[in-house]
Amino acid sequence: MTESDRPDNAVAVVGLALRVPGGSDPGTFWANVLAGRVSLPAAREDHADPADGRLIAGQIDRYARFDAELFGMTHAQAATTDPQHRVLTELAWEALEDAGLDTERDDGRVGVFVGCGPDDYLHHHVMRNDRVVRTQGTEQILFGNSRDYLATALSYRLGLTGPSMTVQTACSTSLVAVHQAVRSLLTYECDIAIAGGVTVFPVERPEYRWSEGGIYAPDGRCRAFTRGSGGTVPSGGAGVVVLRRSADLPEPGRAARAHIVGSAVNNDGADRMAMSAPSPRGQAEVIREALEVAGLAPEDIGYVEAHGTGTVLGDQVELAALAEVYGDATPGCAIGAVKPNIGHTDTAAGVVGLIKTVLALQHDTVPPVPAQAGDGPDAELGAARFFIPRKAQPWSGTVPSGAAVSSFGLGGTNAHVILSPAAAGPRSVDEPEAADGPRVAVLTAATPQALRDRARDLAAWLDGPGTDTGLGEVVGTLWHGRRRLAHRAAIALPPDPGQAHAALRQGLQEVAEGADVPPARPDPTVAVLLPGQGVRLSAADAPADRDPAFAADLTRLQDAVLRAGGPDLRDFTAWDGDDPRLLDTAVVQPLLFTLGLAHLWWLERWGVRPGILLGHSIGELTAAAYAGVFDVEDAAAAVVRRGALMGEAPPGAMLAVPLDEAAARVIVAGLPADLCGVNGPDDVVLGGDPTTVAEIERRCAERGLATTRLATSHAFHTRSMEQAASRFEEFLRTLRLSAPHTRVISNVSGAELTPEQATDPGYWAAQLRGTVRLADGVRTLLAVPCDVVVGVGGSRSLTNPVRRAARAQGTARPPRIIDMLGGSGQDVTLARHTALAGLWAAGCAVDLAPPRPDRPAPLPRYPFADTRHWIEAPGTPSEEVGATPPGVQETDPPADDDRPSVPAAQPAGPSEIATVITEIWQDAFGGAPLAPEDNFFTLGGTSLQAAQLTSVINDTLLLALVLGDLYEHSDLAAFISRAEELAGERDDEELLRLLNEIEEVP
């Protein structure tokens, strides 16, 4: 079947994930299948002596481990949740990543159709632990264990809004779930569907008993379709596929692994010997119906992945049904079965067979059925065209291109699915991005450690399996195909492919070896720092050649400066670094204004709107222009007039001195010098005429102080500017000034600029003449608080004081500090893209928007936390579940009442109340020891849990707390105080008397 022949009702398999014995990912599983590898314990000589009928069943990895943080669950909730629910949740996450889907940003509705095995964990582990039941409550426990909530809990954890239903038809569960998902997609109930199943045995070494005439194998091996086969081998396993309508696939990034072109489900009814017996008629009918839905004939099918349990009756009935429908065709048809490889995974069996078949179609390979020691000859297959492949062989040219999968449930529900191969489109070519667009590789994770692990895994993949994958595919998949989580990293890449690969590897290594990254804020407050005179300017500060929009903004501002009678700045990019105009105040101030405002607009265009602005000297006027105090034309006129007036002042000099304000005044005592600026606790700028500044330099040298002359021609913010200030005030009275719509920090006060100040020409005159109180402004900035600080300009003269102040204050969460134009020698465009990357990592809504690749790159899967969440069954030795590997956290609930506690029938004193409530909260949430400031709702508490905890505490401490007490006092310490307050109000003597009377009642 070609792409053009595919029916309109086709459904694409776009993502998949599984966890079976011997393989926890599709790649490993497929390699095992191709090698004919048997992953059951019997093949590893790891089985019990069958003399007593006890054999070892198959088990999967990570059955007791789970990433609770990723899915927003407390440690206690995770421990009380059935491992089947947990495994299915992680696999759904992996399958969506495999499909390159972030369902939070995809506009389609996602449906869930899943099933699971028996709830043994609930009955044999959770409900037999009285303390767990007491603190968690039966209702909440059922949410994480009952099959009723398997699908809906998954939809809740992943935020999925399509139809969500649990499917239970025994062994055919997961393939029936696939059929239901296909129906839901084709009727437009959903746009994306997750379908699959899971069976997990809640023990490390699950056993089964063999009995004569039973369905289980006597030797721990499944030998489907061989003479003398004795039965199947039970096994844990899970699989999930992600489906979407094939008609929706032409859009980029929606590539299919294979297509489902038909499916059918029926039941055997009463046409069989017993309810547990299969019916050849029922099976043949469901196969025939699926073919009719697909519009295909039997000769179009070249491979059937059979149910293949290895039981004598089951195999005979299945082969008879296959022969009835497919047997009369001429081309060869391979009969496959995955159960000899991994055992019978019960509710997951159908979807695992589907995944195997999808991989076979994708790799154009007919997979083998493993030949095992002790196998008899192949069974009579019932048709000449049927054969059992014992070695992998090419598909094309050997058998027809169509494939089918069967799954037959104990109880008679049968499912059959028809598949066709997907077109193998070419992978993307690694092309440099457009000159004006950034190429940024982004990573996110739920925890800092997961972020490091993700970076490490991606770096290893790039040097291994991903060597030939284009960076465009990698960047596009990371951006479009991964969910945005709290902890982020972003690496800007140069346009050259070779340099980009090197930069990505280096960036990933830095992330992998880096410190904890604070979580991104959903709507971070961004502060922007705007420089004044004294910073070195160059053409690199105006990268207009690669950014047409920025160039247009710059031209607009340069034209406004010209109209105001200012200098011609249009050829600034051609100026040399030692051009004398860069020391001319009348030129530099308009230049700083145009560059600063253009960069603010540039940030806004990328989705970053500053929430607070701190400008140094002329930078404050730039900030005021952005904040709406001046319109653009008036701002340009004000800046031109200011620069011209200050340039007419007598020549002067400015000197940076490492002293505090008081010491600086001492050192200039008797000199006509002024304090121009206070940049930090030991960082001031002094100014005066050249002779005065030379004397200050001499005095500092005598004291061993290293000073720095600023690159200015005048002594700004000194007495030499008084006439300029007066004339500037007069000029401003001709302009219309407005209150700022964005917060601006004042140079004069170091506090937030008030509307009265902003609209007062006298304020701006004082700002020209007075001391620039940058240090006070930085303290105000940090007190806001802000989450990100962006410095505009190639100098770190403004960002470094923020860094020092944040360290000195010991801020619990210091802001991320980003220098927009990087450092000397760095490509300015790459520096700007690096700034955007940092802003995105901080949580800003920067739309980096790389092209979506034609198909998602097969990147490493998410590094789930290796944390064990488990409740032991009573009487289970701890060594039975395995030793804890180094570095693995354990989350076990406390043993049943194994520590002293306040008797339930005795009123407790204040210290006992605190102890008991803390212990009950700890039992309810698990994890690290709780602190007094921990909040019930921040910890993950729900209204149901609140009712349970209140009831338990009241029963234990003989109190009368109500839900409102917990809602109004939700911190642990506050709740304890409220409980102690209520305890102090009760009459304990009367309470004891009543209790004694109750005990005396016969």
Side-chain angles (χ1 to χ4, degrees):
M1 178 181 290
T2 65
E3 293 281 331
S4 59
D5 296 330
R6 187 175 304 114
D8 293 337
N9 63 348
V11 167
V13 180
V14 296
L16 47 84
L18 55 65
R19 203 173 292 175
V20 295
S24 293
D25 62 89
T28 303
F29 167 69
W30 178 243
N32 288 341
V33 168
L34 285 183
R37 187 170 295 117
V38 178
S39 299
L40 292 169
R44 303 193 305 267
E45 299 183 358
D46 176 22
H47 56 94
D49 183 356
D52 64 355
R54 291 154 55 101
L55 295 107
I56 306 300
Q59 183 58 292
I60 62 173
D61 292 337
R62 283 184 60 84
Y63 74 94
R65 287 172 160 73
F66 182 63
D67 196 332
E69 289 81 3
L70 175 61
F71 298 106
M73 296 173 66
T74 68
H75 287 231
Q77 286 173 337
T80 56
T81 298
D82 189 321
Q84 297 180 117
H85 290 231
R86 299 178 340 210
V87 168
L88 191 70
T89 300
E90 291 189 343
L91 287 186
W93 183 278
E94 288 185 348
L96 288 168
E97 287 201 337
D98 182 62
L101 282 170
D102 176 5
T103 54
E104 286 188 336
R105 288 180 289 155
D106 194 287
D107 57 3
R109 292 207 311 162
V110 183
V112 176
F113 306 85
V114 290
C116 69
D119 49 5
D120 292 343
Y121 186 71
L122 170 67
H123 297 294
H124 300 303
H125 293 249
V126 180
M127 298 305 292
R128 296 175 68 181
N129 188 306
D130 292 339
R131 282 183 58 187
V132 169
V133 175
R134 182 184 66 169
T135 56
Q136 298 299 319
T138 303
E139 293 86 352
Q140 184 160 288
I141 288 171
L142 288 177
F143 281 148
N145 288 270
S146 171
R147 294 176 178 180
D148 287 347
Y149 306 115
L150 178 68
T152 53
L154 178 60
S155 294
Y156 173 73
R157 293 182 193 120
L158 298 184
L160 311 179
T161 59
S164 186
M165 58 188 71
T166 300
V167 178
Q168 291 300 151
T169 61
C171 318
S172 61
T173 289
S174 55
L175 202 62
V176 172
V178 170
H179 170 79
Q180 296 286 3
V182 169
R183 297 298 102 192
S184 184
L185 285 164
L186 295 179
T187 56
Y188 288 80
E189 290 179 332
C190 61
D191 304 292
I192 300 164
I194 294 171
V198 56
T199 291
V200 173
F201 305 124
V203 290
E204 184 179 16
R205 290 168 56 85
E207 295 180 350
Y208 73 94
R209 288 184 177 273
W210 172 80
S211 61
E212 186 72 33
I215 65 171
Y216 294 132
D219 59 355
R221 291 179 181 265
C222 178
R223 307 176 189 275
F225 306 125
T226 62
R227 295 175 186 174
S229 174
T232 196
V233 178
S235 185
V240 169
V241 292
V242 177
L243 311 174
R244 67 189 316 160
R245 289 178 291 273
S246 299
D248 295 342
L249 289 186
E251 298 185 26
R254 296 184 177 181
R257 287 178 176 265
H259 298 273
I260 296 173
V261 294
S263 67
V265 169
N266 73 359
N267 191 273
D268 292 332
D271 184 24
R272 44 190 164 148
M273 293 182 294
M275 184 174 172
S276 60
S279 165
R281 180 182 299 175
Q283 292 183 13
E285 287 178 353
V286 80
I287 294 170
R288 193 175 289 113
E289 183 181 347
L291 271 175
E292 290 174 357
V293 171
L296 298 177
E299 57 265 26
D300 296 319
I301 304 303
Y303 177 83
V304 176
E305 175 64 23
H307 191 57
T309 60
T311 61
V312 175
L313 178 61
D315 284 3
Q316 288 177 350
V317 168
E318 182 170 10
L319 288 171
L322 289 171
E324 180 179 334
V325 181
Y326 291 121
D328 292 338
T330 303
C333 180
I335 305 296
V338 75
K339 292 177 181 65
N341 299 90
I342 62 169
H344 191 341
T345 55
D346 192 33
T347 55
V351 74
V352 171
L354 177 70
I355 289 171
K356 173 189 169 184
T357 308
V358 168
L359 292 170
L361 286 167
Q362 191 174 2
H363 291 88
D364 194 31
T365 300
V366 176
V369 176
Q372 306 180 65
D375 278 357
D378 288 349
E380 175 57 48
L381 301 181
R385 70 177 299 220
F386 292 158
F387 67 96
I388 296 178
R390 295 298 180 179
K391 291 184 179 180
Q393 55 188 279
W395 191 309
S396 297
T398 303
V399 294
S401 62
V405 182
S406 291
S407 190
F408 306 129
L410 196 66
T413 296
N414 308 308
H416 196 69
V417 171
I418 310 294
L419 298 107
S420 70
R427 300 209 71 93
S428 304
V429 179
D430 191 25
E431 295 285 350
E433 297 297 322
D436 59 343
R439 183 156 62 165
V440 179
V442 301
L443 295 176
T444 72
T447 65
Q449 184 57 49
L451 185 65
R452 286 190 287 267
D453 292 342
R454 200 159 206 181
R456 189 176 297 109
D457 292 347
L458 181 56
W461 180 84
L462 287 170
D463 289 332
T467 302
D468 297 328
T469 305
L471 272 187
E473 278 188 69
V474 174
V475 170
T477 301
L478 289 171
W479 178 265
H480 296 285
R482 295 296 181 267
R483 183 167 288 199
R484 306 284 172 79
L485 300 172
H487 296 270
R488 300 179 174 188
I491 304 163
L493 308 176
D496 177 77
Q499 294 176 4
H501 275 275
L504 180 56
R505 286 185 176 87
Q506 180 181 347
L508 291 172
Q509 182 177 354
E510 291 172 357
V511 174
E513 298 174 355
D516 285 1
V517 174
R521 295 289 179 93
D523 188 17
T525 299
V526 178
V528 175
L529 310 180
L530 298 156
Q533 279 187 258
V535 297
R536 293 190 177 277
L537 296 171
S538 70
D541 294 308
D545 55 330
R546 297 185 184 179
D547 190 335
F550 180 81
D553 287 341
L554 209 53
T555 298
R556 174 191 174 192
L557 292 168
Q558 290 167 346
D559 290 346
V561 167
L562 271 177
R563 285 192 293 273
D568 187 349
L569 305 175
R570 292 173 296 183
D571 62 344
F572 163 64
T573 55
W575 298 0
D576 293 331
D578 57 355
D579 192 296
R581 286 173 289 186
L582 294 177
L583 291 177
D584 185 344
T585 299
V587 173
V588 172
Q589 291 198 14
L591 183 57
L592 286 167
F593 163 74
T594 57
L595 293 174
L597 194 51
H599 275 107
L600 287 169
W601 289 342
W602 179 82
L603 285 170
E604 193 173 279
R605 198 160 45 248
W606 279 103
V608 181
R609 185 169 182 83
I612 188 165
L613 301 167
L614 172 58
H616 187 282
S617 190
I618 186 62
E620 187 179 345
L621 267 77
T622 306
Y626 179 81
V629 175
F630 307 93
D631 65 27
V632 171
E633 293 295 328
D634 285 351
V639 168
V640 167
R641 180 59 62 92
R642 185 180 190 270
L645 292 172
M646 295 176 76
E648 293 171 1
M654 300 173 74
L655 189 70
V657 180
L659 292 173
D660 60 28
E661 185 173 348
R665 294 190 186 281
V666 171
I667 209 166
V668 299
L671 296 175
D674 292 294
L675 186 65
C676 307
V678 181
N679 298 332
D682 56 356
D683 183 6
V684 299
V685 176
L686 301 171
D689 61 73
T691 303
T692 299
V693 171
E695 174 60 20
I696 297 172
E697 284 180 312
R698 188 191 65 76
R699 293 183 182 184
C700 289
E702 287 181 349
R703 292 165 173 78
L705 298 174
T707 59
T708 303
R709 282 248 188 167
L710 303 189
T712 62
S713 56
H714 295 77
F716 304 121
H717 302 282
T718 65
R719 65 194 71 188
S720 66
M721 296 292 152
E722 288 178 354
Q723 184 177 358
S726 177
R727 293 173 63 187
F728 187 53
E729 179 179 354
E730 292 176 6
F731 174 77
L732 289 182
R733 294 193 183 281
T734 67
L735 304 181
R736 181 177 180 274
L737 306 182
S738 303
H741 54 63
T742 301
R743 287 180 291 181
V744 177
I745 296 178
S746 164
N747 283 179
V748 176
S749 66
E752 187 173 333
L753 183 69
T754 66
E756 294 74 20
Q757 289 174 322
T759 55
D760 178 10
Y763 168 81
W764 295 106
Q767 192 265 359
L768 185 156
R769 162 63 178 88
T771 302
V772 176
R773 299 206 165 271
L774 179 67
D776 293 336
V778 168
R779 281 191 288 272
T780 299
L781 189 76
L782 295 175
V784 168
C786 58
D787 303 299
V788 189
V789 176
V790 179
V792 174
S795 167
R796 290 178 168 80
S797 60
L798 292 183
T799 54
N800 280 342
V802 178
R803 291 184 177 94
R804 288 193 293 267
R807 284 196 300 268
Q809 290 182 15
T811 308
R813 179 169 169 167
R816 298 191 189 209
I817 300 176
I818 297 169
D819 291 286
M820 184 184 291
L821 299 183
S824 59
Q826 185 177 8
D827 178 81
V828 65
T829 300
L830 181 59
R832 281 153 56 100
H833 293 171
T834 299
L836 290 176
L839 287 162
W840 180 88
C844 296
V846 181
D847 187 9
L848 299 169
R852 187 185 285 270
D854 294 332
R855 61 185 60 220
L859 304 180
R861 53 190 177 157
Y862 187 87
F864 297 122
D866 194 24
T867 308
R868 182 173 179 270
H869 300 280
W870 202 249
I871 297 171
E872 299 295 357
T876 303
S878 60
E879 60 267 19
E880 266 193 37
V881 296
T884 302
V888 174
Q889 297 178 342
E890 295 287 324
T891 304
D892 295 312
D896 278 335
D897 299 317
D898 58 353
R899 64 191 176 201
S901 62
V902 178
Q906 294 290 328
S911 62
E912 294 170 316
I913 288 174
T915 299
V916 170
I917 291 178
T918 300
E919 290 174 349
I920 291 173
W921 276 47
Q922 189 71 56
D923 287 354
F925 294 108
L930 297 178
E933 63 272 14
D934 281 329
N935 182 277
F936 176 84
F937 296 104
T938 303
L939 289 169
T942 64
S943 59
L944 193 65
Q945 195 170 17
Q948 181 69 21
L949 277 188
T950 303
S951 175
V952 170
I953 291 169
N954 283 339
D955 290 347
T956 305
L957 298 175
L958 300 178
L959 294 173
L961 290 158
V962 296
L963 279 177
D965 292 321
L966 182 54
Y967 292 156
E968 295 174 14
H969 308 85
S970 53
D971 288 353
L972 176 57
F975 184 69
I976 289 172
S977 296
R978 175 58 179 158
E980 291 173 343
E981 179 184 347
L982 289 178
E985 294 173 357
R986 74 186 174 196
D987 188 341
D988 284 350
E989 291 184 3
E990 177 65 13
L991 186 58
L992 287 171
R993 185 185 66 77
L994 291 173
L995 289 172
N996 289 332
E997 288 181 2
I998 293 171
E999 292 175 357
E1000 291 171 1
V1001 174

